[in-house]
Amino acid sequence: MKKYNVGIIGATGMVGQRLATLLDNHPWFNVTVLAASARSAGQKYSEAVSKRWAMTTPIPTAMENIVVLDALKDIDTITSQVDFVFCAVDMPKDETKALEEAYAKRECPVMSNNSAHRLYDDVPMIIPEINPEHAEIIHAQRKRLGTKRGFIAVKSNCSIQSYVPALHPLKEFGIKRVLACTYQAISGAGKTFERWPEMVDNLIPYIGGEEQKSEIEPLKVWGTIEGDKIVSNSDISITTQCLRVPVSDGHTAAVFVEFENKPTIEQIKERWAAFAGKPQQLELPHAPKQFLNYFEEPDRPQAKLDRDLEGGMAVSIGRLREDTQYDYKFVCLSHNTLRGAAGGGVLMAELLAAEGWFDR
């Protein structure tokens, strides 16, 4: 695989920091540009994040002395130095949309961790093991944008990546209804306990916009390409509740599911154990060897014990049992800033690189 020069737009935020750690010494991607708001521009990366570094590992040595550029004002400089960018900015949705399109129209592909473009019907929202074929919509998006090489690809909301992967191998049994209650870590809000002391010994039963995303986005992921757009799945009904809980990392989901053709517990566990997607087939650098992992213990998965499974890129499942209202219920867990955010974005980029999308 050839080496690509890449940039991180929004490099000083929580997801940007995680991207920096994941891309340090990456076998395919070489970070040459770090960009953020005008407030951080002109500073060395180590200076810009010195008081807000939230990772447990140190600032990557290779990036410490990179001077942070202005994500907007320096766009021409940035796009001239990279093959594509990862985007994880903290901006209003309209401004994020305009920024990402500006990069794409300068023929610079954008791997977005933001929500601004998720529901555009010609923008692929890829969970690499589940819907890699959605990359083909890039042809239609390039026609709309008037680009030859530039495009935008997005990763989905972090919370749905805890339970959608567990449901996906079970679609052959005809999923009808899903109820999912998610219990989401504070890092999903870009916070630590030091910066959000109000969350200690607390639970907040509301996360703005999260339930709408959780009910709509899975249907796009399970959709099909028809002409120049992705048409969302209309066979499955999903309802959710999303709560913020006092956990540093790791989103947990309590899932209830009803099928048209109810499988046995053994069939469900077999499908989970056997499931592998294109990242596993291609042996992508950040692909977990075993994507879905079932725990027989009644008190697993637990965020503190299981969120880092396979480098935080695997999904943990437990407590599968029959339900009185639905057919079955179970619990899922994924690391929200790894599989759910930065890691999912890196894996998406690896998939697109392996399939040649940055060279077309």
Side-chain angles (χ1 to χ4, degrees):
M1 175 62 67
K2 66 178 282 189
K3 197 92 167 181
Y4 295 91
N5 289 331
V6 306
I8 304 173
I9 313 302
T12 57
M14 179 80 79
V15 176
Q17 292 177 26
R18 181 69 78 181
L19 282 165
T21 63
L22 290 174
L23 294 170
D24 188 32
N25 296 315
H26 192 283
W28 300 355
F29 306 149
N30 176 43
V31 177
T32 56
V33 170
L34 299 171
S37 67
R39 185 175 60 254
S40 298
Q43 301 179 61
K44 292 180 180 179
Y45 188 54
S46 57
E47 298 168 346
V49 298
S50 61
K51 295 180 180 180
R52 53 190 299 197
W53 187 254
M55 302 295 104
T56 56
T57 54
I59 300 169
T61 303
M63 301 180 206
E64 284 182 331
N65 294 319
I66 294 179
V67 176
V68 178
L69 299 180
D70 186 311
L72 186 56
K73 291 182 180 179
D74 296 326
I75 187 169
D76 291 322
T77 300
I78 294 167
T79 55
S80 71
Q81 296 179 14
V82 300
D83 295 302
F84 67 91
V85 297
F86 293 92
C87 189
V89 296
D90 183 11
M91 298 166 60
K93 186 170 287 189
D94 287 347
E95 294 178 26
T96 300
K97 173 183 170 292
L99 181 72
E100 292 181 344
E101 284 199 1
Y103 276 85
K105 287 181 177 179
R106 285 169 172 78
E107 303 295 355
C108 179
V110 178
M111 304 293 102
S112 176
N113 271 270
N114 306 301
S115 64
H117 278 104
R118 282 186 196 151
L119 297 184
Y120 275 63
D121 57 20
D122 63 0
V123 175
M125 181 168 64
I126 297 174
I127 300 177
E129 286 88 350
I130 294 176
N131 62 332
E133 71 281 0
H134 281 195
E136 291 297 324
I137 202 66
I138 289 170
H139 295 300
Q141 184 192 148
R142 283 172 169 164
K143 284 194 290 184
R144 174 174 63 85
L145 295 176
T147 60
K148 294 182 179 178
R149 186 174 174 274
F151 66 90
I152 300 162
V154 300
K155 53 150 287 298
S156 72
N157 189 37
C158 54
S159 66
I160 77 167
Q161 298 195 55
S162 61
Y163 61 89
V164 167
L167 289 167
H168 186 69
L170 310 180
K171 285 182 67 199
E172 65 177 278
F173 301 109
I175 296 174
K176 293 174 61 179
R177 292 192 303 147
V178 175
L179 163 64
C181 297
T182 59
Y183 305 87
Q184 302 184 202
I186 63 171
S187 57
K191 304 286 189 179
T192 62
F193 285 116
E194 290 74 22
R195 290 159 54 189
W196 201 4
E198 296 86 356
M199 274 307 301
V200 176
D201 191 32
N202 195 16
L203 181 152
I204 299 175
Y206 174 72
I207 305 172
E210 199 75 5
E211 287 158 4
Q212 182 185 26
K213 296 174 190 175
S214 299
E215 293 171 358
I216 293 174
E217 290 186 19
L219 303 180
K220 180 178 178 181
V221 170
W222 285 326
T224 55
I225 295 176
E226 297 180 16
D228 285 348
K229 61 183 181 180
I230 298 168
V231 177
S232 294
N233 182 294
S234 59
D235 298 326
I236 300 172
S237 174
I238 301 177
T239 185
T240 66
Q241 285 210 108
C242 302
L243 297 80
R244 188 73 71 193
V245 295
V247 172
S248 58
D249 293 299
H251 287 354
T252 298
V255 184
F256 302 75
V257 58
E258 179 184 339
F259 298 96
E260 291 179 9
N261 303 298
K262 183 178 177 181
T264 65
I265 285 179
E266 291 72 24
Q267 285 176 313
I268 293 174
K269 290 181 180 178
E270 286 170 2
R271 298 308 188 275
W272 285 339
F275 182 70
K278 192 165 266 190
Q280 287 70 39
Q281 296 164 11
L282 296 174
E283 297 182 342
L284 300 179
H286 279 86
K289 288 183 172 58
Q290 181 63 44
F291 182 31
L292 305 178
N293 298 262
Y294 186 78
F295 288 85
E296 294 289 352
E297 297 91 334
D299 60 350
R300 303 282 286 277
Q302 293 181 28
K304 200 168 187 178
L305 297 179
D306 304 312
R307 61 192 170 205
D308 292 317
L309 187 63
E310 297 232 29
M313 293 298 288
V315 173
S316 301
I317 312 169
R319 301 203 68 209
L320 173 64
R321 60 218 189 275
E322 292 193 343
D323 183 61
T324 57
Q325 306 298 314
Y326 289 72
D327 289 327
Y328 290 105
K329 53 190 171 187
F330 53 87
V331 174
C332 297
L333 166 74
S334 67
H335 196 302
N336 56 294
T337 69
L338 286 167
R339 166 53 73 165
V346 171
L347 187 62
M348 177 174 67
E350 291 171 355
L351 171 70
L352 296 176
E355 295 188 328
W357 284 99
F358 302 132
D359 303 314
R360 303 185 192 184

